[in-house]
Amino acid sequence: MATRLKPVDVVLVGMGFTGAIMARELAQDGLSIVGLERGGRRDTVPDWQSPAMHDELRYAIRNEMFQNVVTETYTFRNHTGEEALPIRILSSFLPGTDLGGAGVHWNGHTWRFLPSDFRMRSHYTERYGAQSIPHEVTIQDWGVTYDELEPHFDRFEYLCGIGGKAGNLRGQIQAGGNPFEGPRSREYPLPPMDPAYAGALFANATLELGYTPFQIPSANMTRSYTNPEGLSLQACNVCGFCERFGCEHFAKASPQTVILPKVFESPNFELRTNAHVTRVLLDGRGRRATAVLYVDGQGNEIEQPAELVILCAFSLNNVKLMLNSGIGQAYDPATGEGTVGRNYTYQTMSAATVFYPDDININPFMGAGALGTVIDDFNGDNFDHTGLGFVGGGYISANTTGGRPIEYHPTPPGTPRWGLRWKQAVRRHYNHTVGLSAHGSSMPTRGNYLSADPTYRDAYGQPMLRITYDFPENDLRMSRYITDRMTEIARIMGGETVSTAYRATPYSIVPYQTTHNNGGAIMGTDRRTCAVNRYLQSWDVPNVFVQGASAFPENAGYNPTGTVGALAYWSVKAIREQYLKNPGPLVQ
Amino acid sequence: MGSILSRSLRSYTIPGAALCAAAFLTWATASLGQPTPERGQQIAVGGGPGGAGVACFSCHGLQGQGDAGAAFPRLAGLDAIYLAKQMHDYASGSRPNAAMSPIARQLGPPDHQSIALYYAELPPQAPPVRATPADGSLVQWGAVLYAQGSAERGIQACANCHGPGGRGLNRVYPSIAAQPGAYVNAQLRAWQAGQRHNDIHGVMGSVAQRMTDEDIRAVSAYLAGLAP
């Protein structure tokens, strides 16, 4: 029997970036707020200090910062004809855990999706006609526009001290930035990162082909910075330990560095760590959330009643909670009916590698998570799609994120996988290789979805989340197209040889690709196809809001965090200005 | 490699981005006359164009070991590129110092390099004269700041850049072990006041501004007691 606690106004499930933003904003309305975090508490000092932090084996290989698959994992299959099996070792994607969530171990790429990305079906229909959208693709508009989100993108970027160069200031194209981006109301808070040598080589080749290179917008600080919350960060020293690591320098935007200290100043906010939420409890009619049920660090089951429940867990775990709690109708790919679990998307990655003579020193270890030079000429609808047979695109970049020795040992095709010749090749190529990547969009289809697994349960007795996914034909065509463009660039970068790795089916959960898992609780204007409305409010249970990339109807060719942050500020503004005054559905 | 690098720096520049590395490289290339450690030794022992009165050894010691009594830093065993950059910065004013700036201005870049090469090759050793031993709790607090930082003040651990035991990471992050306490103290105050501003993106100034007087005394005392 669960212990029932005193009711509070708001319960936040998950204390990563979106949970921290919710807590900070709603605390200003004097609400009593409880933040439930399944993991432990941690902070820059003392948890992430070097040299212990620079332990590649512990953090990057043994997954210290990620969801513990012994207690909770996902099952996976490529299509409905297969039996899904539990993922025993995380590798294709790496959901974070503990305070700060994945906002601690991310790289820091901070993009805005394109204006056309938010109205994808309308955009392609208007420009190319409805027949241009492949039949299998279930893209839709988001119900929110870029212009509506712009102030919230801006707010998140200033919160995080993003370093970049505007390419479009209030409609005026700016030299040095991304000319394809939507109009910004003002410059980035900090200047862009200094280019690495790999980035400069890439930039020269793209200039030769008539493209427009620029530096990736970065949450690795390029200068000392004090954000609007009054919290100070320090300049990145390009140590090369961002992705999969916490930052020891106060140089990467994370909930801990940009917002949580302010949250903890609020007397009406309470953080509870080691609180694993298993379900949201609903009233008898299933129309109202009454409480959340969680298991604390001692194994006690606790019921925390609340007026408002906001799911701020990782996208996959938000969907799992909705399915296991009965919030909304589960999606059924056979009938196409139901919303929860619909339109699960990923990211379509591919790579090219340029091998240089041994007098060209790349120094890959001088890196940072978001240190990269990029072109956006082949992203979204920045290029003419007439006759191409696909929707979407992706950016192409040369990133220098750190040449860590266990993970990074590029060798040319034909090199043995082990033994003396492999060792010789690693020694020859380690410091003389540049990797390019194409970061492609991901379009939803009827058969790619999330559901409650009928067989496997986690350590808390809850059905695991089942992922059914393979790369759609649309995305393979898109990826082949942009990978060919990437290879053309690679060939004129001055190397001896170039190798290209195209994206192919079947999708495998084994090699790391990205932790950009999206959809499953998508936003939009139609309650028959979307789990949440344009304010991220559940259509079916209006006192539940669902934050994060689970709301993306489809995934653009960008990293999601900037858009996740903007949606969080957009959503919480509606909660504060509309919902709290008149609790109920914000959209009829 | 030179041609590719210069091509890349010429064509790909980003407005608003300070290409510190590029500027440093250009300077380093321009200053490569024929610097040699032998020439460095001549200047260190006999003074250069400024005469014997400004010979390095008269303050920094014959072995480059520094002088703890007078806050003159150890030079022996420090990285050559780091040392040469400091001479350059003394001359340019980004690291102003009443004694060193005039000396550095009298010497050209090749001599800066020569001095740096000479001292980099000397075996590191602690200054022979130690300041009055600091009290134990102060040293202990210095060690905590060095290895772990301060959550309250948002100070990251010194060790993150300067390495365990103050050994440094060559080229950018100098070895600071066994530097005289008074020297480290004076440098942190110079960073704090913005007088010294010759690092990348102002990290040291930002760190020093978060440090209290006691923090500065503590870290200085801790570093002075380390083996070089």
Side-chain angles (χ1 to χ4, degrees), chain A residues 45-46 49-51 165 175-176 191-195 197 199-201 203-204 207-208 213-215 222-224 232-237 248-250 359-361 373, chain B residues 1 4-5 7-9 11-21 147-151 153-161 164 173 200-203 206-207 210:
Chain A
V45 178
Q49 295 304 299
S50 84
K165 175 75 190 77
M193 300 198 85
D194 299 336
Y197 188 34
L201 293 167
N204 282 342
L207 285 169
E208 221 164 284
F214 57 96
Q215 292 298 96
T222 60
R223 302 288 185 277
S224 296
S232 294
L233 293 93
Q234 300 187 14
C236 169
N237 75 348
E248 69 261 40
H249 298 286
F250 295 88
D359 61 340
I360 305 283
N361 294 309
T373 305
Chain B
M1 172 179 171
I4 290 174
L5 189 58
R7 185 185 76 156
S8 72
L9 295 171
S11 53
Y12 183 55
T13 55
I14 295 167
L19 286 166
C20 293
Q148 185 173 291
S150 161
R153 289 195 275 285
I155 301 170
Q156 71 268 53
C158 315
N160 291 338
C161 293
Y173 306 107
I200 298 169
H201 301 329
V203 170
S206 173
V207 169
R210 293 154 201 263

Side-chain angles (χ1 to χ4, degrees), chain B residues 74-98:
Chain B
R74 160 174 78 86
L75 305 180
L78 297 187
D79 181 77
I81 293 208
Y82 169 76
L83 284 173
K85 180 177 184 301
Q86 301 314 303
M87 292 299 286
H88 170 267
D89 295 347
Y90 279 129
S92 77
S94 61
R95 183 179 178 175
N97 181 279

Side-chain angles (χ1 to χ4, degrees), chain B residues 190-213:
Chain B
W191 290 116
Q192 195 178 47
Q195 290 154 355
R196 182 177 175 186
H197 48 87
N198 66 327
D199 65 338
I200 298 169
H201 301 329
V203 170
M204 279 309 302
S206 173
V207 169
Q209 278 164 21
R210 293 154 201 263
M211 297 176 78
T212 64
D213 288 352

Side-chain angles (χ1 to χ4, degrees), chain A residues 224-567:
Chain A
S224 296
Y225 180 68
T226 300
N227 77 2
E229 301 285 356
L231 299 171
S232 294
L233 293 93
Q234 300 187 14
C236 169
N237 75 348
V238 290
C239 76
F241 286 80
C242 277
E243 182 180 48
R244 310 183 184 199
F245 303 86
C247 178
E248 69 261 40
H249 298 286
F250 295 88
K252 177 167 72 176
S254 66
Q256 277 82 349
T257 52
V258 303
I259 193 163
L260 281 173
K262 280 291 167 190
V263 170
F264 295 144
E265 284 177 12
S266 305
N268 45 336
F269 173 80
E270 181 191 347
L271 172 71
R272 292 184 201 149
T273 50
N274 299 305
H276 188 106
V277 176
T278 51
R279 263 189 305 152
V280 180
L281 302 179
L282 307 182
D283 68 4
R285 293 167 53 239
R287 302 293 294 167
R288 184 180 160 73
T290 57
V292 299
L293 203 60
Y294 68 91
V295 178
D296 73 9
Q298 295 174 308
N300 303 311
E301 193 168 49
I302 312 284
E303 181 183 334
Q304 175 61 66
E307 292 294 315
L308 176 60
V309 174
I310 308 181
L311 304 186
C312 303
F314 187 65
S315 59
L316 295 171
N317 298 333
N318 279 346
V319 177
K320 178 186 176 189
L321 268 175
M322 293 177 80
L323 288 167
N324 288 343
S325 308
I327 299 170
Q329 188 191 340
Y331 170 73
D332 179 357
T335 62
E337 286 172 5
T339 57
V340 183
R342 184 173 179 268
N343 277 25
Y344 170 71
T345 54
Y346 192 48
Q347 201 88 69
T348 318
M349 309 292 293
S350 57
T353 312
V354 186
F355 296 93
Y356 282 93
D358 62 7
D359 61 340
I360 305 283
N361 294 309
I362 302 300
N363 295 339
F365 41 83
M366 295 195 289
L371 174 55
T373 305
V374 61
I375 61 164
D376 212 28
D377 297 68
F378 297 100
N379 211 338
D381 192 31
N382 296 340
F383 56 108
D384 189 354
H385 281 70
T386 305
L388 294 179
F390 63 82
V391 295
Y395 68 69
I396 300 168
S397 65
N399 301 334
T400 306
T401 59
R404 298 185 296 272
I406 303 177
E407 298 152 277
Y408 186 73
H409 20 69
T411 54
T415 306
R417 299 288 298 274
W418 55 277
L420 180 63
R421 282 177 54 214
W422 178 79
K423 290 176 186 171
Q424 287 168 337
V426 170
R427 181 174 176 176
R428 163 65 184 78
H429 295 287
Y430 172 84
N431 200 26
H432 315 288
T433 301
V434 171
L436 306 185
S437 67
H439 189 276
S441 54
S442 178
M443 296 304 148
T445 62
R446 185 160 167 165
N448 285 337
Y449 74 113
L450 305 173
S451 53
D453 193 280
T455 309
Y456 294 96
R457 289 174 179 264
D458 64 22
Y460 301 90
Q462 301 300 309
M464 288 183 191
L465 185 78
R466 180 175 61 182
I467 301 169
T468 305
Y469 184 78
D470 205 349
F471 294 112
E473 185 57 36
N474 175 85
D475 293 356
L476 293 172
R477 273 196 222 116
M478 177 280 302
S479 185
R480 176 157 282 276
Y481 182 82
I482 64 172
T483 306
D484 284 341
R485 303 291 82 73
M486 173 165 66
T487 305
E488 289 163 7
I489 296 165
R491 287 208 180 108
I492 61 165
M493 281 176 62
E496 290 174 332
T497 53
V498 169
S499 78
T500 299
Y502 287 93
R503 182 50 59 196
T505 53
Y507 165 62
S508 164
I509 55 150
V510 176
Y512 180 75
Q513 292 161 61
T514 69
T515 309
H516 306 162
N517 310 71
N518 323 280
I522 66 172
M523 66 189 297
T525 54
D526 186 348
R527 60 186 305 153
R528 290 171 305 172
T529 57
C530 304
V532 297
N533 66 24
R534 69 196 297 258
Y535 301 111
L536 308 188
Q537 179 183 36
S538 164
W539 285 105
D540 300 278
V541 186
N543 68 332
V544 172
F545 285 73
V546 187
Q547 305 294 325
S550 49
F552 293 4
E554 53 266 338
N555 192 21
Y558 299 103
N559 310 60
T561 307
T563 300
V564 167
L567 285 175

